[in-house]
Amino acid sequence: MGVISMADVAVRVVGLSYRYPDGTEALRDVDLLVRTGETVAVMGPNGAGKSTLMLHLNGILQGEGTVEVAGLEVNKKNMREVRGKVGLVFQDPEDQLFSPTVGEDVAFGPINMRMSAAQVDLAVKRALKWVGLDGFENRSPHHMSFGEKKRVSLATVLSMEPEILVLDEPVSNLDPRGRRHFLEIIGVLEATKLIVTHDLEMARKTAGRVVLMDDGRVVADGTTDSVLGDAALLERHGLL
Amino acid sequence: MKHDFIDRYSRLQSPVHDLDPRAKTLALFALIIACVLTPPGSWYSFCIYAGVVLIIAVASNVPMSYLLTRMLVVLPFVLAVAIFVPFMHPGGPTVDLGPVSVSREGLLVLWGVTIKALISVSCLILLSSTTHFNDLMHGLERMRVPRFFTVVSAFMYRYLFIIVDEAERMKRARDSRNFQGRWIWQAKVIGHMVASLFLRSQERAERVYQAMTARGFDGHFPRTVELRMRAADYFFMAVVIAIAAGGRVVAIWA
């Protein structure tokens, strides 16, 4: 990989292991280095530990090992800062959206980051514009379509202007148009992106690099073409 | 799918809808307390309470048919408890109702329980149909109701729809496999459904919490809108509380 300066590193995970309270070993000695501006697809079968790894990136879970994002070590003391830098978009928009109106939900992160009222307003407007839902502030999320909810979920994180964007299965259950639209939105964002998925097609379209996980370990890490071109590897790890 | 069975009509426009949730809560609770403390024989007092409720109901534009059907929902519960009272008062004057004779005092108790329940419930229905749920919680919070209760209720309200949807989906999946629910051993299936609904809700709660902490949630809800008591709110509160107190006084004096 060569020598890279710290300023270029968006995510650095070293020797990370995590065991769920019920004893399940979800991560076993995981290493991961993501450079600023990269788009990485984190792939693997169900239960490979992809989502667990993502939950470590902003300290929701804390295992053994080191996790650094945007030059900050993730620990209890700098949680607020870390969560402002890493935006997590969860798979099910119902988990992400809990406020009575779209505007309040999009404002939730910025307010927690102690932005002023004027800044919050601006952040909400801008985030909704990014996802093509300007003027939806007063709509209630539970009356929107799944595709719209998905975009609002993205906006709730974009309003915090994260440097690193983590998307868990961003296009699952979306119809082809919704999918294309969502990928277009993601495509123009400048943040470093980690996309958790087992959708080969989407990985090919969006990511320059693929990290393949299985059984809590990173089993392959390389350019999208080299990893996804290896049919035997994909088959061995349940993606084909 | 659209669910609005809790605060249906809470988004209508009316003078009652415009009132501050705190003014409505305090005024209607005063009315309920006065009503509950009134002895069953004080006919005038109940007329006064019912009159106030009726005036608020008309002013609120909430359809009468809706209020009535909602009220009827509680009636069976009240009757189930109180219907036997008239038959259980030995001694004292009795009233002949065709073939049976019932205690006069017991009949009065039954009437009291019923009218009090109906007036109290209609106050609550009016409160919830003229105040959006979140404003109501916000108002309660400002009245120093512990945050724990308001936050839990607010989440219950938000996710109730999803749980109902989920239950609906489970039911559909179950019925497509020809479930009829007619035999006692099939009760087990319903038990399993309730259990798995509970587990799913619990897991969802976990994920919602994760999504919230991911956005920097630290246990305090940000508030964007602040409530403000205006002259009209104080006026409404004063009038309703005065009438409620007046109704209770009439009962002593009559």
Side-chain angles (χ1 to χ4, degrees), chain A residues 92-120:
Chain A
D92 185 350
E94 300 292 359
D95 295 338
Q96 186 104 22
L97 306 175
F98 58 86
S99 306
T101 66
V102 168
E104 282 172 72
D105 230 318
V106 179
F108 181 76
I111 293 175
N112 284 330
M113 287 167 74
R114 308 270 193 272
M115 286 190 195
S116 72
Q119 283 174 310
V120 170

Side-chain angles (χ1 to χ4, degrees), chain B residues 27-50:
Chain B
L28 290 169
F29 269 93
L31 196 59
I32 291 175
I33 289 168
C35 173
V36 169
L37 294 178
T38 303
S42 324
W43 318 105
Y44 294 118
S45 304
F46 289 113
C47 288
I48 293 173
Y49 304 140

Side-chain angles (χ1 to χ4, degrees), chain A residues 175-197:
Chain A
D175 61 26
R177 184 179 38 186
R179 197 182 143 93
R180 181 159 31 95
H181 194 162
F182 202 89
L183 292 181
E184 278 166 14
I185 295 169
I186 299 174
V188 297
L189 298 173
E190 279 174 4
T192 306
K193 281 162 270 181
L194 275 87
I195 303 175
V196 179
T197 183

Side-chain angles (χ1 to χ4, degrees), chain B residues 7 44 53-54 61 89 94 153 156 180 184 188 203 209 245:
Chain B
D7 55 356
Y44 294 118
V53 171
L54 197 69
N61 288 339
H89 273 262
T94 56
S153 316
M156 188 194 74
Q180 277 144 25
I184 190 69
K188 194 171 129 190
E203 279 163 9
Y209 181 70

